[in-house]
Each structure stands twice: as structure tokens, then as C-alpha cells.
């Protein structure tokens, strides 16, 4: 397994290299964000350990650029910034995991192994289907480039459908995943909100499959 470590603290980078090599990994080091981005693009790595505060290009910008290019290299982000919003920012911009400094080397290895087990699967920050785009972190929806305002329930309904592109999703599945199971939700709630959503994104983009459920459709 080939790993890329992007870390500008030379002593920490060297310690990570020694420890990871002792575990059998092949390790390359980049000392700034721009070099790290170029190496990640072309190096054929299995995973990357990425610091946040880097010269030339921050870790946030590195991972955001990789995801924008549809590069799904697993990324474990390291940072001395331990606030909950800092961690949320790292994950929302496309990192797969976030570990604060100082960290346990045992925990770092365990999280790295978990990333490697999952592999480089596509996991876009912004969901897209046809001319509809949905950003879960920013809570924004665009249809043909124009922003559409949705309620929280409408947004959750559209997000679930977009995470199952082209699939028929039943009313029962939508009730289970979009509505609170603890609430006594009326069975026709799905039909009502599908109607609301159609009026906002366009009726032709949300099909009814009789007797089965609903499916997003691409509008030519």
C-alpha cells in the first residue's frame, strides 16, 4: 500500500514515515499543499494523510480540488484545530476522516486501515443528477443553475432520492428514512411532499412508478 503524507512539520512527517514504513507501507512526503495536490493527482496512492495548515495551499483546498476533479483518493485529515466546526469543515469539503493533534498513533493506524478497507469509492461532496445539484453541507439546491428554496423535509426527500439515482424508491422506504420513525406519520405524507417538491424542481424530474414508488428522471 502506497501512502502520501502531506505535512509541513518536518519532525512529525519523519516520525509518520518511520512508523508507517514499520507497518509495511510505502510512504512519500510532501511539505506543502501545492506539491501534495500534484502528487495526489498523479502518484497512484492508496490513501493520503493531509495536514490542514499548510504552506501555499491549505489542506481544505487540496481535498476540495481533488473532489472537484472527481478524484476519490481516501483522505485522513490531521489538524491542531480541534473545534467541532473545524472538524465539520474538513469533512464537508471532502475528507473521509479527521484526527486532531496530538493524536494516538494506534488510533491513526486504525482509522487509516478503515479508510483502506473502504477504498476509493465515488463520494462527491455535491450530489448531481441531470441538471439538479444538491449540496448537503451548504443546504443548497440548483436546478439548471438557478437556486431553489426547499423546506427541511423537501430537502431531505430530494437528498434521499439523489443518493439513489435512477432507482425506484418506495413510499415505505421514504417514510423510514426521511420521516421520524417515532412520529405517527400519515401514509399520504410522502405523496403530499412529492407534490410540493415537483412544483419546485419540475414535475418531469420526479416520476411516479405505479405500484412501486418514485424515481428521479433526467430532463433532456
Amino acid at each position: 500500500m502506497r501512502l502520501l503524507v502531506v505535512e509541513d512539520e518536518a519532525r512529525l512527517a519523519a516520525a509518520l514515515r518511520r512508523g508507517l514504513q514499520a507497518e509495511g507501507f510505502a510512504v512519500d512526503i510532501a511539505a506543502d499543499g501545492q506539491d501534495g495536490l500534484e502528487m495526489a493527482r498523479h502518484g497512484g496512492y492508496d490513501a493520503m494523510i493531509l495536514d490542514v495548515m499548510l504552506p501555499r495551499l491549505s489542506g481544505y483546498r487540496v481535498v476540495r480540488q481533488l473532489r472537484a476533479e472527481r478524484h476519490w483518493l481516501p483522505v485522513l485529515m490531521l489538524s491542531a484545530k480541534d473545534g467541532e466546526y473545524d472538524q465539520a469543515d474538513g469533512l464537508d469539503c471532502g475528507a473521509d476522516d479527521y484526527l486532531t493533534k496530538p493524536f494516538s498513533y494506534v488510533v491513526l493506524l486504525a482509522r487509516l486501515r478503515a479508510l483502506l478497507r473502504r477504498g476509493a469509492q465515488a463520494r462527491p461532496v455535491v450530489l448531481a443528477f441531470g441538471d439538479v445539484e444538491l449540496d448537503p453541507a451548504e443546504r443548497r439546491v440548483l436546478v439548471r443553475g438557478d437556486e431553489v428554496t426547499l423546506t427541511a423535509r423537501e430537502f431531505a426527500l430530494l437528498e434521499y432520492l439523489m443518493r439513489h439515482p435512477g432507482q425506484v424508491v418506495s413510499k415505505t422506504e421514504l417514510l423510514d428514512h426521511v420521516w421520524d420513525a417515532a412520529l405517527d406519520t400519515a401514509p399520504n405524507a410522502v405523496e403530499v411532499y412529492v407534490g410540493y417538491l415537483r412544483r419546485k424542481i419540475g414535475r418531469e424530474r420526479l416520476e411516479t412508478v405505479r405500484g412501486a414508488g418514485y424515481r428521479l428522471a433526467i430532463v433532456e
Side-chain angles (χ1 to χ4, degrees):
M1 289 288 186
R2 297 189 63 219
L3 302 180
L4 174 61
V5 175
V6 188
E7 172 59 67
D8 63 323
E9 294 181 36
R11 291 176 61 185
L12 177 56
L16 284 170
R17 170 181 265 166
R18 286 193 303 271
L20 292 168
Q21 286 177 337
E23 297 292 330
F25 295 104
V27 183
D28 290 335
I29 302 292
D32 66 65
Q34 189 61 53
D35 286 348
L37 177 59
E38 290 303 315
M39 292 171 71
R41 282 170 169 158
H42 308 296
Y45 296 101
D46 295 291
M48 175 166 62
I49 298 173
L50 177 67
D51 190 23
V52 170
M53 304 300 290
L54 292 166
R56 299 178 69 193
L57 205 63
S58 74
Y60 294 141
R61 292 182 63 190
V62 170
V63 73
R64 190 177 292 116
Q65 185 61 39
L66 287 173
R67 299 307 184 232
E69 296 170 6
R70 303 188 66 77
H71 197 306
W72 309 118
L73 175 69
V75 175
L76 171 58
M77 192 165 271
L78 298 180
S79 179
K81 301 171 73 173
D82 60 356
E84 58 185 16
Y85 289 106
D86 298 314
Q87 297 180 49
D89 286 344
L91 296 171
D92 283 340
C93 73
D96 299 282
D97 202 352
Y98 190 108
L99 194 57
T100 58
K101 301 176 183 177
F103 54 84
S104 160
Y105 185 68
V106 173
V107 172
L108 180 141
L109 275 177
R111 293 190 176 189
L112 185 58
R113 287 193 295 266
L115 289 186
L116 291 168
R117 284 196 298 271
R118 293 199 290 270
Q121 302 173 13
R123 47 200 182 281
V125 175
V126 176
L127 305 177
F129 188 76
D131 56 6
V132 180
E133 296 182 6
L134 182 146
D135 186 332
E138 298 292 331
R139 310 294 293 179
R140 295 180 71 227
V141 173
L142 301 178
V143 178
R144 290 190 173 178
D146 295 325
E147 187 162 359
V148 175
T149 301
L150 301 181
T151 66
R153 187 74 69 197
E154 292 163 355
F155 188 95
L157 176 59
L158 179 59
E159 181 178 359
Y160 191 80
L161 290 166
M162 291 189 70
R163 291 191 183 278
H164 299 79
Q167 300 177 28
V168 177
V169 181
S170 70
K171 292 180 185 179
T172 301
E173 186 175 348
L174 290 170
L175 281 171
D176 287 344
H177 291 273
V178 177
W179 275 263
D180 189 339
L183 298 178
D184 185 18
T185 306
N188 70 337
V190 174
E191 296 175 11
V192 171
Y193 276 89
V194 163
Y196 294 157
L197 189 56
R198 279 176 170 153
R199 285 197 285 273
K200 293 184 177 181
I201 70 169
R203 177 171 296 276
E204 66 279 12
R205 292 182 177 85
L206 182 47
E207 299 176 336
T208 298
V209 180
R210 190 171 300 277
Y214 302 96
R215 176 176 58 202
L216 288 178
I218 294 176
V219 176
E220 299 296 337

